[in-house]
Amino acid sequence: MPQTPAYGAAAPAMAHFTAGEAGQWRITRQSAPIGEGLAQAASIAINSPASDALWTLTGFTSNLRYTTFDERGPLDARSDPLGRPEARHAALIPIRKSSRWWALAQDERRAIYARSQHMPIGLDYLPQVARRRYHCRDLGQPFDFLTWFEFPESSGAAFDELVMRLRATEEWEYVEREIDIRLIRNI
Amino acid sequence: MPQTPAYGAAAPAMAHFTAGEAGQWRITRQSAPIGEGLAQAASIAINSPASDALWTLTGFTSNLRYTTFDERGPLDARSDPLGRPEARHAALIPIRKSSRWWALAQDERRAIYARSQHMPIGLDYLPQVARRRYHCRDLGQPFDFLTWFEFPESSGAAFDELVMRLRATEEWEYVEREIDIRLIRNI
């Protein structure tokens, strides 16, 4: 029996990312590559409420939305968990896609995702870059997804490359707001 | 320009179904075809909080999860909106699927959905039976979906047939809890 459920097979879980003065993760850089930015904060706390919160973003993990059975095998084989001691660098990337994207049928979205090589691009950076996807469009949040990445300092340049490759895809033509927050673990 | 967005293309919206003494819809029959039941109530109020609530179920509308572009055409052509004056009968069917279902990859779930003829079965009862799907698994609710149906009294037998046909499918082997609540509009 595997120790952890297969990719995308865990029960849904909510996560709250709260920006403020204090938090487990210190913000080193914050930008808005597409659309309106977010108030600049010093730190992000995950799942610990803060009285001085500048903003909080909430999302839930969910079942796989596009990944096929054949794609999940390599993902499971090469994915490392979050929380590795050496992975002291992180990124939080909130994204909102356009209403044009969401009006597409499932097979149309899947086709763009496949043509954009979203999955193979991500695989190129496993297991160094661990990540978890949170969904938030259905909660009426200002973003559709929050993706949290953790990686060792030595993978910083590789992570920059991953982000740039995704931004150059057809899928990203549907992104109308993207925030890029880089962090270092405080504790 | 169409007056209503294409099927599945509207912005997500939350809905609350509250069971209690009062509400726009009077419960005429309530059963639990699969698994544990829900407390028997007199009425259901939609999006109006009640102080005497026995239970409340919450879900959100969302983008299409399985429907393809080719399937959406006939759906759009044949779907009537909720709220038709003659559609005074309704059903609320909360469903929970097994963890085995949710651990499947997207293409595996889609294949079962297709083999089960979920979409063609539903099409057979359009436009008489109008419906809306709400998602709630990701909210940590006791069910995964709430489906709300509205139909004229003359379509009651057809609706029973629709439900029986779906329950006989391969997809329903993954349903581990199902409540069937029938209602008549009070107002």
Side-chain angles (χ1 to χ4, degrees):
Chain A
M1 292 284 289
Q3 285 191 286
T4 53
Y7 190 74
M14 287 273 179
H16 307 277
F17 296 88
T18 300
E21 281 306 305
Q24 306 101 309
W25 294 89
R26 179 168 56 81
I27 296 176
T28 57
R29 192 150 53 90
Q30 180 177 329
S31 63
I34 307 175
E36 191 191 353
L38 276 174
Q40 174 74 51
S43 299
I44 284 186
I46 303 179
N47 292 332
S48 54
S51 57
D52 68 336
L54 272 177
W55 44 261
T56 296
L57 297 175
T58 296
F60 50 79
T61 59
S62 189
N63 56 288
L64 298 176
R65 301 292 172 90
Y66 301 111
T67 310
T68 63
F69 179 79
D70 288 343
E71 290 167 340
R72 186 163 63 179
L75 269 177
D76 279 342
R78 292 170 63 178
S79 291
D80 270 357
L82 298 181
R84 295 166 298 171
E86 72 276 20
R88 299 183 57 80
H89 287 241
L92 174 65
I93 304 197
I95 278 182
R96 187 176 69 223
K97 285 181 171 167
S98 65
S99 55
R100 199 163 56 92
W101 170 265
W102 292 112
L104 295 173
Q106 176 72 19
D107 59 333
E108 297 175 294
R109 280 180 274 108
R110 162 71 202 182
I112 295 167
Y113 172 88
R115 283 198 300 270
S116 297
Q117 299 277 301
H118 191 133
M119 170 73 51
I121 290 174
L123 268 178
D124 282 348
Y125 302 90
L126 295 181
Q128 291 81 4
V129 178
R131 73 261 172 275
R132 186 168 294 162
R133 166 74 44 84
Y134 298 93
H135 299 260
C136 42
R137 175 173 186 260
D138 294 319
L139 301 176
Q141 292 267 310
F143 298 94
D144 296 336
F145 309 103
L146 314 172
T147 312
W148 176 258
F149 302 89
E150 290 179 5
F151 47 89
E153 185 169 12
S154 59
S155 297
F159 183 75
D160 284 336
E161 184 185 279
L162 159 62
V163 169
M164 294 309 293
R165 287 176 66 189
L166 284 172
R167 283 183 191 143
T169 63
E170 177 187 357
E171 185 182 346
W172 243 251
E173 295 170 19
Y174 295 86
V175 173
E176 61 177 26
R177 190 176 181 193
E178 178 179 7
I179 314 287
D180 185 339
I181 303 171
R182 304 298 177 92
L183 313 96
I184 294 183
R185 201 189 307 180
N186 270 330
I187 47 175
Chain B
M1 291 286 289
Q3 286 189 287
T4 52
Y7 190 73
M14 288 272 178
H16 307 278
F17 296 87
T18 300
E21 282 306 305
Q24 306 102 308
W25 296 88
R26 179 168 55 81
I27 296 177
T28 56
R29 190 150 54 90
Q30 180 176 330
S31 63
I34 306 175
E36 191 191 353
L38 277 174
Q40 174 75 50
S43 300
I44 284 188
I46 303 178
N47 293 332
S48 55
S51 57
D52 66 335
L54 272 177
W55 44 261
T56 295
L57 297 174
T58 296
F60 50 79
T61 61
S62 190
N63 56 287
L64 297 176
R65 302 292 171 89
Y66 301 111
T67 310
T68 63
F69 179 80
D70 288 342
E71 290 166 342
R72 186 162 63 180
L75 269 178
D76 279 342
R78 293 171 61 179
S79 291
D80 270 358
L82 297 181
R84 295 167 298 171
E86 72 276 19
R88 299 183 57 80
H89 286 241
L92 174 65
I93 303 196
I95 278 181
R96 187 176 68 223
K97 284 179 171 169
S98 65
S99 55
R100 199 162 57 92
W101 170 265
W102 293 111
L104 295 173
Q106 177 71 21
D107 58 334
E108 297 175 293
R109 279 180 276 107
R110 162 72 202 180
I112 294 166
Y113 172 88
R115 281 198 301 268
S116 297
Q117 299 278 302
H118 191 134
M119 170 75 48
I121 289 174
L123 269 177
D124 281 348
Y125 303 91
L126 295 182
Q128 290 82 4
V129 178
R131 73 262 171 274
R132 186 168 293 160
R133 165 75 42 85
Y134 299 91
H135 299 260
C136 42
R137 175 174 186 261
D138 294 319
L139 301 176
Q141 292 268 311
F143 297 95
D144 296 337
F145 309 103
L146 315 171
T147 313
W148 177 258
F149 302 89
E150 289 178 7
F151 48 89
E153 185 170 12
S154 58
S155 297
F159 183 74
D160 284 337
E161 183 185 281
L162 160 61
V163 168
M164 293 310 292
R165 286 176 67 189
L166 284 172
R167 282 184 191 142
T169 62
E170 178 186 357
E171 186 182 344
W172 244 252
E173 296 170 17
Y174 295 87
V175 173
E176 60 178 26
R177 190 177 181 193
E178 178 180 6
I179 315 289
D180 185 339
I181 302 171
R182 304 299 176 91
L183 313 97
I184 295 183
R185 202 190 306 181
N186 271 331
I187 48 175

